[in-house]
Amino acid sequence: MKLILSLLFLSLRFTYFFHPAAARGGERTPSISGFMVDNNAIRGRHLFQENHFQKLDNLAHGYMTNSDLENAIKAFGNRCPSISRIYSIGKSVKGVPLWVMEISDNPGKEEAEPAFKFIGNVHGDEPVGRELLLLLANWLCDNYGKDPLATLIVNNVHLHILPSMNPDGFLLRQRGNANNIDLNRDFPDQFFSINDDVGARQPETKAIMSWLKGIHFTASASLHGGALVANYPWDGTQDRRKYYYACPDDKTFKFLASVYSRSHHNMSLSEEFQGGITNGASWYPIYGGMQDWNYIHGGCFELTLEISDNKWPAANELPTLWELNKMSMLNLVAVLVKTGVHGRIFSSDCGRPLPASIAVERINYTIKATEAFADYHRLLAPGERYDVVAKMPGYKSKSTSILLAEEAMTVDFILDPVITPMGSLLRSGCDFSWDNKSRLQLEEYFPRLHLEISLTLVVVILVFLCFLLRRRAILNYLKHREAVGPKWSNVEV
């Protein structure tokens, strides 16, 4: 009897030590909160819980520590000051700055260009992204002006790179942050009221949300580990069941995910995921994810990229992982300017930029032009015809039909103010007070208008002078004829 009880006790202890881990950022949970709980029904690698930290700590040899990462980011900024800017979007629970590298030919200056962001290390035990993003930044620095793709990106995109969203989780060798919260379950959800309490959100989550309020991102991607696939929205379903749940821009997201997958040899040949891409809800639903929140609230097309089957590969595998993912990362950023519809929106009454909205017929999703330059960058799957509409309260909407090929198209809109029955403008782009910045923007972006006005004035003046000269010549001729008229009358013909 004692022997049976002893064996039963040991079996229970043995089962307890097993810790499940799965793909797409790790453990799955039936709970929709961000707190980490285990789910033995999910397949995955099994690690003894008591050795989990020790094993990961051994694997961390060769990876940058948080201090190493900070020094590497600052060193990059010092090495490439002409095309980079280093800034922080906030701090982690333990007070570690969340450093960002901006890469552009005009870093820190707002331009009529699309912006893209990369985020790594969302989960603390998925550190490959933080290493690869440093390599990406340095590659752009080394190849700007030499490599056409690097030059295209730096000159035409504002690229923002956050290597580590979760430095505390990395330090603790755990998935969640220092409060043991899964940051990819901590965002407001479209179906459930989880995470609606602003005070309960984690500082890392708040930093990302505030970041998107300050910068108008066109697209983004977060780097994860545990699988090899490009994941796109929707991530969850309204009934919490697992099935393909398409967002309004499903075709565009499949195109973007395929851009990444096709450039990654192993990902594109996936036997588990057709074409190396997957709809999130079809894979498995999650709630409070960053990807869906970006699309709904930020107007930002975000992918969740699983870039390594192994969550924490040995450091000597990092060069190989970099080579496998390099072209995928570069091509994903470059697609912002290589395809899609881009342009600016102006008011017809005075030519002022209008922060109007851009909609596409039969796609229930609207993006807004920027406040400063009224530029828009609408990502769309190429090879189809689209009806693009620009609209703004107080102005008449305008639309145009385009056939989007593989290359990007530029479509500008000039909106006419609505005239009331009384004959006044319902709203005018000239009604607002202009600050110096707005005046400089207009002068910068309307040099042709100034030139055309000047040339028109010159032509008008020349025409008027010609008219005066001709009139004077006619008057002189008539006076002369009147003076010699009698003599001519006596001449015989």
Side-chain angles (χ1 to χ4, degrees), residues 53-121:
F53 180 88
Q54 182 180 354
K55 287 185 176 182
L56 292 182
D57 203 41
N58 292 335
L59 286 173
H61 291 297
Y63 283 81
M64 290 181 288
T65 65
N66 286 335
S67 296
D68 293 336
L69 180 62
E70 181 175 358
N71 292 334
I73 291 172
K74 292 181 178 179
F76 164 80
N78 292 331
R79 192 167 72 87
C80 305
S82 62
I83 63 167
S84 71
R85 175 176 70 106
I86 309 301
Y87 66 99
S88 172
I89 61 170
K91 293 183 178 181
S92 68
V93 173
K94 290 184 174 293
V96 180
L98 304 177
W99 294 108
V100 175
M101 300 174 286
E102 180 188 4
I103 301 175
S104 167
D105 58 341
N106 288 299
K109 296 182 180 179
E110 192 171 1
E111 297 181 287
E113 294 179 352
F116 188 101
K117 61 178 168 67
F118 271 121
I119 299 178
N121 203 197

Side-chain angles (χ1 to χ4, degrees), residues 5 42 199 207 210 265 290 337 360 368 372 380 384 449:
L5 290 175
I42 301 299
S210 177
H265 178 74
M290 183 167 64
V337 292
V360 179
K368 286 202 67 176
L380 292 165
E384 295 194 25
L449 180 61

Side-chain angles (χ1 to χ4, degrees), residues 9 38 99 137 165 175 282 295 319 338 343 351 394 406:
F9 174 76
D38 291 337
W99 294 108
M165 178 183 170
R175 174 183 172 86
S282 177
Y295 179 62
K338 284 188 171 183
E406 294 296 327

Side-chain angles (χ1 to χ4, degrees), residues 446-467:
F446 284 93
R448 290 184 181 178
L449 180 61
H450 292 166
L451 179 61
E452 290 175 3
I453 293 175
S454 300
L455 290 175
T456 301
L457 289 174
V458 170
V459 170
V460 169
I461 291 172
L462 289 175
V463 170
F464 183 68
L465 289 174
C466 289
F467 171 77

Side-chain angles (χ1 to χ4, degrees), residues 70-218:
E70 181 175 358
N71 292 334
I73 291 172
K74 292 181 178 179
F76 164 80
N78 292 331
R79 192 167 72 87
C80 305
S82 62
I83 63 167
S84 71
R85 175 176 70 106
I86 309 301
Y87 66 99
S88 172
I89 61 170
K91 293 183 178 181
S92 68
V93 173
K94 290 184 174 293
V96 180
L98 304 177
W99 294 108
V100 175
M101 300 174 286
E102 180 188 4
I103 301 175
S104 167
D105 58 341
N106 288 299
K109 296 182 180 179
E110 192 171 1
E111 297 181 287
E113 294 179 352
F116 188 101
K117 61 178 168 67
F118 271 121
I119 299 178
N121 203 197
V122 178
H123 294 129
D125 59 350
E126 298 169 16
V128 174
R130 54 194 268 150
E131 298 281 341
L132 266 55
L133 290 176
L134 253 297
L135 291 171
L136 175 65
N138 281 284
W139 186 89
L140 289 170
C141 176
D142 294 337
N143 291 277
Y144 175 58
K146 304 173 185 176
D147 182 271
L149 190 55
T151 306
L152 173 76
I153 290 172
V154 175
N155 286 345
N156 298 283
V157 179
H158 278 260
L159 175 61
H160 300 255
I161 299 175
L162 172 62
S164 180
M165 178 183 170
N166 189 3
D168 296 349
F170 173 82
L171 178 65
L172 297 170
R173 311 291 189 253
Q174 67 183 28
R175 174 183 172 86
N177 68 350
N179 292 330
N180 202 29
I181 299 296
D182 186 331
L183 297 178
N184 202 35
R185 310 291 187 274
D186 195 45
F187 287 83
D189 188 78
Q190 62 174 321
F191 300 122
F192 305 103
S193 59
I194 60 172
N195 309 326
D196 286 351
D197 183 359
V198 177
R201 289 187 200 131
Q202 300 303 297
E204 298 91 345
T205 308
K206 292 178 181 178
I208 298 295
M209 296 175 70
S210 177
W211 195 18
L212 262 73
K213 290 181 180 178
I215 299 178
H216 194 97
F217 288 105
T218 300

